[in-house]
Amino acid sequence: MPADPLHRATGPQRSATSPPSPGSAASAVEVRRSARRRRTVSAYREGDRTVVLIPARMSEAEEQRWVSVMLDKLAAQESKRVLGDSELAERAQRLSEQFFDGRARPTSVRWVTNQNTRWGSCTPSEGSIRLSHRLQGMPEYVVDYVLLHELAHLLVPGHGPRFWRLLEAYPRTERARGYLEGVVAADRLPHLPAAREE
């Protein structure tokens, strides 16, 4: 496979876009190299993209290692941050605009603590969406999937083919569903009793 010409540039800054690592929440990674940057590496989210800033002199192996480290670090920071109800509503609005052309318009979006067997629920007649507090701390792409799932119910009440076609627009649907299935499966595993001290 030919080398990416952006990685072979000799100028002070170069960038490349690559697919996400398995644990990342963004859909693309852009690496920006800078001759001014000597040792530090930093990263931030920019929409659906993660931007990783590295020194220009880094090898490709170091770049790959640091991209992985920074994606893990951002994911850990994001999982600790809990969105409030107003942020959740703003997120739902952005997702509706991005994936459903703004057609799904909830009247309220909030966290609830009384949903222990479901991840979310929607009452289309009222336009209300509720997400289980158990989602707090899960990766953003999982929360986004559950929000989109409930937003889709504002457009299609059941789980028929039309409903699932709507969710096909979200590129992380299968991955998020797999994550949630894993959480459910882990909850069903037998818990070993704590070791007794003798």
Side-chain angles (χ1 to χ4, degrees), residues 143-156:
V143 176
D144 285 353
Y145 165 73
V146 176
L147 269 174
L148 278 166
H149 184 106
E150 302 311 332
L151 285 165
H153 279 308
L154 293 175
L155 304 174
V156 179

Side-chain angles (χ1 to χ4, degrees), residues 45-118:
R45 302 280 193 215
E46 191 174 78
D48 278 352
R49 163 186 320 268
T50 301
V51 177
V52 181
L53 307 169
I54 64 172
R57 62 177 174 70
M58 264 191 190
S59 70
E60 288 190 35
E62 288 176 307
E63 173 186 314
Q64 289 176 2
R65 184 177 75 80
W66 275 106
V67 165
S68 178
V69 165
M70 297 312 287
L71 287 174
D72 289 346
K73 188 175 179 178
L74 282 174
Q77 289 171 348
E78 289 165 352
S79 71
K80 290 177 188 168
R81 200 176 120 242
V82 176
L83 300 175
D85 287 349
S86 61
E87 292 171 306
L88 200 60
E90 288 170 17
R91 191 176 200 92
Q93 182 181 346
R94 280 196 309 273
L95 289 167
S96 175
E97 288 167 6
Q98 185 176 358
F99 294 100
F100 302 145
D101 298 320
R103 292 177 297 138
R105 296 187 188 108
T107 55
S108 69
V109 182
R110 61 191 173 90
W111 296 108
V112 294
T113 57
N114 62 352
Q115 289 189 15
N116 295 315
T117 59
R118 308 160 125 193

Side-chain angles (χ1 to χ4, degrees), residues 10-52:
T10 57
Q13 184 174 11
R14 52 193 174 175
S15 66
T17 301
S18 60
S21 75
S24 69
S27 61
V29 176
E30 180 180 337
V31 176
R32 295 181 186 166
R33 292 176 170 258
S34 171
R36 286 184 182 173
R37 195 172 278 271
R38 296 282 179 233
R39 290 187 295 227
T40 60
V41 177
S42 62
Y44 59 92
R45 302 280 193 215
E46 191 174 78
D48 278 352
R49 163 186 320 268
T50 301
V51 177
V52 181

